[in-house]
Amino acid sequence: MKVPFLDLSLQHRALREPALAALAATYDATRFCLGKDVEEFEKAFGATLGYPRVLGMNSGTSPLHIGCMLAGFGPGDEVIAPPFTFISTVWGVTYVGAKPRFVDVEEGTFNLDPAKIEAAITPRTKGIIVVHLFGQPARMDEIMAIARQHRLFVIEDCAQAVGANYRGRPVGLFGDLGTFSFYPTKNLGGCGEGGALVAQNEELFVRARHIRVHGSDRRYYHDIVGGNFRMDGFQGALLNVKLPHLARWTARRREIAGRYLAGIKLADVRLPDQPDYGQSVFHQFTIRHPRRDALREHLTRHEVGTDLIYPVPLHLQKCYANLGFGPGSFPVAEAAAKTCVSLPIFPELTDAQVDHVIASVNAF
Ligand SMILES: *Cc1c(COP(=O)(O)O)cnc(C)c1O
């Protein structure tokens, strides 16, 4: 039995007709940049997931970039972030001339370890970017207590955590801003690039809205420095078709994760922790094993698709060699990169496929 790591064609085949009808309507109305479809999506996304202020953008990297502009990070400033994440988490820090200051992650969840944050804080520290990696909420109470004490601006990178809850509240607004990605492989994926920013306070929200459109409230008058971060009308239209299915897709991801958690019984395997403070949306289901590469080859022989997410932590990427963090700087992240392998977990997997993954892992 073949189990692909991810097959986007199933979801898109099922939604083909409503998706193409929505695109046709947007096309006929020439609503290409922002416009009614995007406004409807912003409203529906906020109402469905619990965010009072939402801005649709052209990627998940853009709201992170804008967040760093809004926070006022700049040359000489340091921003705390985990090294075990997608690189985009910290691009914005670099774009505004500040420096990522990595802090190691927890072994059980791969998220920022609050116990290690204080030691990294210096007079130059201006903010923290928290990532809810693989859909699992980070320890926001502990992180926010440190942030308040040191007056740090907090951005939550929720690119992988749409719909995730921390102690019953949606992730994204524990800090100052939350950011989302609608890249096609994400839990709520568009048909192209997309993202969103959610803001806690009205003043930040209004500034973000102006930055999104060239720092402008009125055409050709630019009060602040901005850029072009607009969401396409087509993406708004498609996301309006997909959003009503998100709760069902998330429930199915949780069901599959439940089967993996109950069924995988392999010596030396480490399953992801399921702490009671956070309900994961299982963007990934990532396990660890000391003989990861051999396990992965074994799974390939059993026609189970896997991926290495992430093979190299950010502090060991060539583009960040200048930050001065060598091998050994963040041992938990480095061990994760060497031992983790992600299993298939998209909603359209059948139970038989999930059982085949479990049997194949257990047969290693
Ligand atoms: C996908 C992702 C992003 C960036 O989103 P894009 O839409 O690809 O720009 C940022 N952070 C994390 C953790 C991601 O997984």
Side-chain angles (χ1 to χ4, degrees):
M1 180 184 297
K2 265 202 170 62
V3 189
F5 179 69
L6 177 64
D7 183 351
L8 287 177
S9 72
L10 298 167
Q11 182 186 105
H12 291 92
R13 213 177 298 149
L15 295 176
R16 190 171 188 278
E17 279 173 26
L20 293 188
L23 288 176
T26 304
Y27 182 92
D28 290 341
T30 63
R31 288 191 295 261
F32 299 138
C33 301
L34 295 177
K36 182 166 82 80
D37 305 282
V38 174
E39 283 162 28
E40 276 174 20
F41 172 68
E42 290 169 345
K43 261 200 210 107
F45 184 82
T48 311
L49 293 162
Y51 304 109
R53 300 177 187 82
V54 182
L55 291 170
M57 299 201 175
N58 55 356
S59 76
T61 303
S62 292
L64 285 159
H65 182 183
I66 292 182
C68 292
M69 294 168 76
L70 289 168
F73 302 149
D77 295 342
E78 292 180 0
V79 181
I80 288 168
F84 193 65
T85 176
F86 184 55
I87 188 97
S88 178
T89 297
V90 295
W91 278 147
V93 176
T94 302
Y95 296 161
V96 300
K99 277 191 179 155
R101 170 60 172 92
F102 298 114
V103 167
D104 212 350
V105 295
E106 292 183 315
E107 213 168 279
T109 62
F110 306 104
N111 281 329
L112 209 48
D113 187 344
K116 294 178 184 153
I117 294 177
E118 296 263 14
I121 293 176
T122 73
R124 294 183 298 278
T125 309
K126 294 289 153 53
I128 306 180
I129 303 183
V130 182
V131 183
H132 305 296
L133 199 74
F134 301 154
Q136 170 64 53
R139 290 185 189 274
M140 292 313 296
D141 285 345
E142 292 88 335
I143 294 170
M144 287 311 299
I146 298 167
R148 282 193 200 99
Q149 191 190 335
H150 296 271
R151 299 176 188 283
L152 304 177
F153 193 94
V154 176
I155 300 171
E156 292 175 61
D157 180 347
C158 310
Q160 304 185 359
V162 64
N165 281 308
Y166 175 84
R167 298 197 190 283
R169 279 172 56 206
V171 295
L173 289 186
F174 291 91
D176 298 279
L177 298 172
T179 71
F180 294 86
S181 167
F182 307 120
Y183 186 73
T185 61
K186 300 286 155 86
N187 289 23
L188 177 62
C191 297
E193 306 286 347
L197 178 147
V198 300
Q200 186 64 262
N201 103 11
E202 181 69 15
E203 190 249 321
L204 283 178
F205 176 74
V206 170
R207 270 166 63 212
R209 201 172 67 212
H210 294 172
I211 290 175
R212 176 173 70 169
V213 189
H214 303 292
S216 171
D217 195 13
R218 273 192 299 161
R219 232 145 66 92
Y220 308 128
Y221 292 81
H222 310 278
D223 296 348
I224 54 175
V225 172
N228 176 0
F229 302 104
R230 292 182 290 241
M231 178 181 272
D232 277 358
F234 286 134
Q235 292 312 324
L238 282 161
L239 288 165
N240 282 328
V241 171
K242 287 192 170 194
L243 182 65
H245 300 278
L246 178 64
R248 180 169 54 85
W249 292 332
T250 301
R252 178 64 184 152
R253 283 177 183 271
R254 286 176 168 153
E255 209 171 81
I256 295 168
R259 288 176 93 98
Y260 283 157
L261 288 163
I264 294 177
K265 309 239 184 278
L266 173 68
D268 297 331
V269 84
R270 171 101 195 236
L271 300 174
D273 282 6
Q274 301 307 311
D276 56 10
Y277 57 76
Q279 283 74 54
S280 179
V281 292
F282 294 100
H283 176 60
Q284 301 295 347
F285 192 92
T286 301
I287 64 174
R288 270 161 294 173
H289 193 278
R291 293 172 54 230
R292 187 266 315 270
D293 293 336
L295 170 60
R296 193 172 186 219
E297 280 164 32
H298 163 88
L299 291 174
T300 305
R301 279 196 300 277
H302 285 72
E303 300 190 303
V304 173
T306 58
D307 203 357
L308 299 187
I309 309 174
Y310 296 91
V312 183
L314 303 193
H315 66 287
L316 301 179
Q317 298 287 351
K318 279 189 193 154
C319 65
Y320 282 133
N322 63 330
L323 294 176
F325 302 109
S329 303
F330 306 107
V332 182
E334 289 169 36
K338 286 198 186 101
T339 59
C340 73
V341 56
S342 297
L343 302 179
I345 192 158
F346 55 100
E348 293 78 15
L349 285 173
T350 65
D351 287 350
Q353 286 178 308
V354 175
D355 290 344
H356 177 68
V357 175
I358 295 170
S360 304
V361 170
N362 291 345
F364 178 61

